[in-house]
Amino acid sequence: MVSLKLQKRLAASVLKCGERKIWLDPNEINEISLANSRRNIARLHRDGLIIKKPVIVHSRARVRAWNEAKRKGRHTGAGKRKGTANARLPFKVLWMRRIRVLRRLLKKMRDAKKIDKYIYHQLYLLSKGNQFKNKRVLIETIHSMKSEKNKEKALAEQAEARKSRARDRNERRANRKPAPQGSE
């Protein structure tokens, strides 16, 4: 039997695939063995004596089904875990996600003039100090701080109003009082 190593190599080069994907017609071995150039190999390919085999199927159906189940929470018990909890989802990543959410919220509220720069700075430092478990807690804190501030402001205004009323009263009393009579 004739060796067709050269023809197989040239065919692989011409058809841009590996040698294992080349099929040489066993009934036309003599004609194929005469082809010693890429042009001849290309001609034989056109005639159908040399064929590029189809890609072997490597199905992902089972993988897709497995991943679908994992999305539902299957196959994730203690027996399937290799790394520590920190290796699987680092604490630092969780921290970074949370702090970015909180800081983004603070910036947004400051830019929208919902909180002033003093409250912003106070809450920024508190969030850096791990005071807020999540966004909801931070929003609750903001609301309570704002209501506290408004209450203080209202009390201050009431006190100021009281003071001004007392001042007016004293002035009126001083103006109304006649000069003392007992000096004559």
Side-chain angles (χ1 to χ4, degrees):
M1 181 161 169
V2 189
S3 171
L4 300 176
K5 272 178 82 173
L6 170 73
Q7 285 75 8
K8 200 161 235 193
R9 180 173 64 75
L10 290 175
S13 176
V14 169
L15 301 180
K16 293 186 174 65
C17 64
E19 288 182 27
R20 67 199 289 264
K21 288 276 178 251
I22 299 296
W23 177 84
L24 304 173
D25 192 341
N27 303 325
E28 305 290 344
I29 287 177
N30 292 332
E31 194 173 337
I32 292 172
S33 65
L34 296 174
N36 60 359
S37 68
R38 289 165 198 276
R39 182 170 286 166
N40 290 346
I41 295 289
R43 184 175 51 76
L44 291 174
H45 174 59
R46 276 197 303 280
D47 297 344
L49 304 184
I50 296 176
I51 296 174
K52 181 179 178 179
K53 289 185 201 168
V55 175
I56 296 166
V57 173
H58 183 176
S59 172
R60 283 191 57 82
R62 283 183 298 279
V63 178
R64 280 197 207 98
W66 187 266
N67 288 342
E68 186 63 40
K70 278 197 83 170
R71 231 167 278 136
K72 292 177 182 170
R74 318 289 187 267
H75 319 293
T76 52
K80 288 286 177 190
R81 299 180 199 165
K82 290 282 187 168
T84 61
N86 192 28
R88 289 161 65 84
L89 183 55
F91 305 149
K92 184 174 181 181
V93 169
L94 292 173
W95 165 259
M96 278 162 29
R97 280 183 195 163
R98 192 172 88 213
I99 200 71
R100 283 174 184 172
V101 165
L102 298 178
R103 286 177 179 172
R104 203 177 304 128
L105 177 74
L106 284 172
K107 281 193 191 76
K108 198 168 81 178
M109 294 191 91
R110 182 188 60 185
D111 294 343
K113 300 279 190 286
K114 289 187 178 169
I115 57 175
D116 61 5
K117 63 181 182 179
Y118 303 106
I119 289 181
Y120 168 84
H121 188 65
Q122 203 175 343
L123 291 173
Y124 188 97
L125 293 178
L126 286 174
S127 55
K128 184 183 179 180
N130 199 16
Q131 288 289 305
F132 307 116
K133 181 177 162 190
N134 52 36
K135 195 169 160 181
R136 181 179 52 78
V137 177
L138 176 59
I139 290 172
E140 283 173 9
T141 309
I142 289 172
H143 288 322
S144 65
M145 283 181 86
K146 279 173 72 177
S147 66
E148 191 70 35
K149 199 161 192 188
N150 289 344
K151 222 178 279 177
E152 283 175 15
K153 199 174 177 186
L155 286 172
E157 282 174 7
Q158 283 175 7
E160 185 57 42
R162 241 185 256 114
K163 279 181 189 170
S164 65
R165 272 206 306 273
R167 215 177 294 120
D168 291 348
R169 204 179 313 118
N170 289 342
E171 282 176 16
R172 277 202 306 274
R173 199 173 286 153
N175 293 341
R176 195 177 52 202
K177 214 182 263 181
Q181 309 262 333
S183 63
E184 295 173 8

